[in-house]
Amino acid sequence: MAFHWPVRVYWEDTDAGGVVYYATYLKFMERARSEWLRAYGFEQDVLRDEAGVVFVVRRVEVDYLSPARFNDQVDVSVDLHELGRASLSVEQTLTRGATRLVSARVTLACVDAARFKPVKIPLPILQALAE
């Protein structure tokens, strides 16, 4: 079941053409992923400080289908696609009403917060996401 996070498009999110700048969609997706983890009870700063791990983006594949504009209310979804021992991938979509604006697949790696070397995803996270 997909997680959904609402985002309002502000003036600062748009480019000279009045549409959302392409890289800003990545920020919207990042916020939704942070809220997705938070909904499972995992705060990223606590994971870093107490478990010694952080999630980093390893790969992003994005299809830009239709533009969002200033003051649009968009929905950003996060849906777990694949769960591995040290990485996971999610599918994310941004929609405005029934219109799909952006589709993406994002691969995240779990790394040691100090060395930035891959490590296993902590068991509580694996268990929560696997349910």
Side-chain angles (χ1 to χ4, degrees):
M1 179 158 51
F3 172 84
H4 296 271
W5 186 253
V7 173
R8 173 75 64 188
V9 175
Y10 297 123
W11 190 252
E12 68 188 21
D13 300 322
T14 62
D15 62 14
V19 300
V20 172
Y21 182 64
Y22 80 97
T24 303
Y25 293 103
L26 298 175
K27 293 179 182 185
F28 294 164
M29 288 186 273
E30 177 76 29
R31 292 177 198 162
R33 288 193 310 275
S34 292
E35 295 299 335
W36 173 65
L37 283 174
R38 182 175 285 125
Y40 279 103
F42 303 109
E43 296 286 347
Q44 293 192 57
D45 57 341
V46 174
L47 289 173
R48 180 197 62 218
D49 296 343
E50 295 180 8
V53 300
V54 293
F55 287 98
V56 296
V57 174
R58 183 178 178 279
R59 184 172 195 275
V60 178
E61 182 178 344
V62 183
D63 289 318
Y64 298 96
L65 306 169
S66 186
R69 291 175 164 60
F70 171 70
N71 219 21
D72 280 351
Q73 180 71 38
V74 298
D75 177 81
V76 185
S77 68
V78 181
D79 195 15
L80 182 64
H81 174 71
E82 188 172 357
L83 183 59
R85 295 179 75 191
S87 67
L88 60 92
S89 65
V90 295
E91 292 185 349
Q92 294 194 255
T93 58
L94 285 86
T95 56
R96 181 185 54 238
T99 303
R100 182 176 288 213
L101 307 174
V102 175
S103 293
R105 180 167 296 161
V106 182
T107 302
L108 304 167
C110 185
V111 299
D112 178 279
R115 300 178 303 121
F116 276 79
K117 298 291 183 188
V119 295
K120 291 180 182 176
I121 298 171
L123 188 57
I125 297 173
L126 284 174
Q127 290 172 333
L129 296 180
E131 291 179 359

